[in-house]
Amino acid sequence: MTVASEPDLRQDFPVTKKTIYMNNGAVAPTSLAVVKAMTDFMIKCADEGPDSQATSDYITALLRELRVRVAHLINCEQEEVVLTQSTTDGMNAVANGIGWEKGDAVIVRGGKHEHPANYLPWLRLKEKGVMLSELAIDKDGFFDLGDLEKLARKSRLLTLSHALYNTGAIMPVEEAGKIASENNVLFCIDAAQTAGTIRVDVKKIGCDFIAFPGFKWLCGPMGMGVFYCSKKAAQALTPVAIGGESATFSGDTIAYMDMPRRLQAGFRNYPGAAGLEAALRYVLRVGIDNVRAANVKVANALREELGRINGIELYGPADESRRTSIVTFTTPKDPPYIVSKLEEIGVVLAERDAGNVKVVRAAPHFFNTEEEGSGGCGQDKGAFVATFSCHPGLL
């Protein structure tokens, strides 16, 4: 199956008719199926009443189905799936839910080279006397497993991005998981740049926690995220929020509900849940392996074309097995200027940081094509790489 060449698939994403959208690492467009699912939910509430028994039964079935699809996506149990609004929510549930003691250590990777959602929550723990042990990284963001093993012997938690938000480099999370397990270290994963674009298997990774959004590579609605917490690790977390949905009380004694309700107080974004369920159904139907193959094909074409242009420097691993479809580069002119000018031409990318360097980030997904990446000046919409030769003032 050549995913991006399927005409019906491209028609499902209206954005493909108007622009070359390659900013899926920030927020991906939703398909018409997601829009319909959310609209249908709101119509049902309007017809039957948002707090009627019929709507309540529908919501119960919807959340059950959503958890089934998440469980299938990341290979976990339904009871281990907590619904959030973002990756940040999940990471903070761990950072603020563990009963830290002064002198505890958290292993982080790369400091300011890291996704802020997977650095700031741990950095703030310094206020509680928690130490940060930072893994040294190479030019592509990778770390030495030997260094990790040394730090793991005296740490309480390891946290890693599955793939880097700025270059797409895929971290060796399975090897890290083995080291964490051997040293009785809790393992937390930020999967913001992998869920929906490469396989994510919590059992193979061996992590205790994983967080990701529904609105990046899964093409779901904004304001929906997922937090995986293993049954065993759930006992290590005190819920950050508490309410009638997550706990009961007798006198002054509080008793938490079983997972996942224990960690999901106050969730009410049911239209978003309907949209995310539809998005997951769509991506799972296409198949993660097919998505991965299509994404790598476009990314490779972009890297090849960009590599031929004087003044452009590529970042991240050259080896396709060590990266997602993110393609990062610099030009002689500042990234904000490049990103702004490209959007005027009809190409949507992003500006990001790669350590001390400002970069341009292209993040193509399965509805993008190789032609959108290269192409020629005569095309109606233009094409990403072709814009540099068709509009010389960009460089």
Side-chain angles (χ1 to χ4, degrees), residues 157-357:
L157 181 139
L158 163 66
T159 182
L160 292 174
S161 284
H162 192 176
L164 305 188
Y165 82 109
N166 41 23
T167 66
I170 300 172
M171 297 295 102
V173 291
E174 290 185 28
E175 293 87 342
K178 292 176 183 176
I179 293 172
S181 177
E182 290 167 359
N183 289 277
N184 199 30
V185 173
L186 291 169
F187 188 18
C188 183
I189 291 283
D190 174 343
Q193 296 300 335
T194 53
T197 184
I198 69 172
R199 283 198 172 273
V200 178
D201 188 323
V202 298
K203 289 186 171 59
K204 285 186 177 180
I205 294 172
C207 57
D208 299 285
F209 314 106
I210 198 166
F212 56 89
F215 51 84
K216 292 185 188 290
W217 302 98
L218 289 170
C219 301
M222 288 185 279
M224 279 299 300
V226 173
F227 173 53
Y228 158 80
C229 176
S230 71
K231 291 179 181 178
K232 180 180 178 182
Q235 302 309 309
L237 293 187
T238 298
V240 174
I242 186 172
E245 307 86 358
S246 62
T248 59
F249 67 97
S250 177
D252 294 334
T253 303
I254 295 172
Y256 294 110
M257 301 284 196
D258 292 334
M259 284 286 289
R261 293 178 65 183
R262 171 188 174 92
L263 297 177
Q264 194 172 284
F267 178 82
R268 289 291 184 277
N269 188 5
Y270 301 131
L276 182 55
E277 191 277 331
L280 280 162
R281 188 169 359 118
Y282 193 105
V283 169
L284 290 170
R285 177 179 62 82
V286 173
I288 292 297
D289 290 340
N290 288 325
V291 170
R292 169 67 172 160
N295 288 357
V296 167
K297 191 173 183 180
V298 176
N300 286 348
L302 288 179
R303 288 181 64 90
E304 183 177 348
E305 294 288 336
L306 286 167
R308 294 172 179 164
I309 301 175
N310 290 331
I312 285 182
E313 180 181 356
L314 289 166
Y315 282 69
D319 182 351
E320 68 179 44
S321 69
R322 305 184 77 197
R323 56 176 161 81
T324 64
S325 61
I326 287 175
V327 178
T328 305
F329 62 97
T330 57
T331 72
K333 292 190 176 179
D334 291 337
Y337 171 84
I338 297 295
V339 170
S340 175
K341 288 300 181 182
L342 284 173
E343 186 160 352
E344 290 177 10
I345 298 166
V347 181
V348 181
L349 306 183
E351 170 207 345
R352 288 295 182 266
D353 294 321
N356 297 320
V357 181

Side-chain angles (χ1 to χ4, degrees), residues 378-395:
Q379 295 186 6
D380 292 337
K381 290 191 298 183
F384 166 28
V385 178
T387 58
F388 291 110
S389 57
C390 302
H391 300 82
L394 276 175
L395 291 177

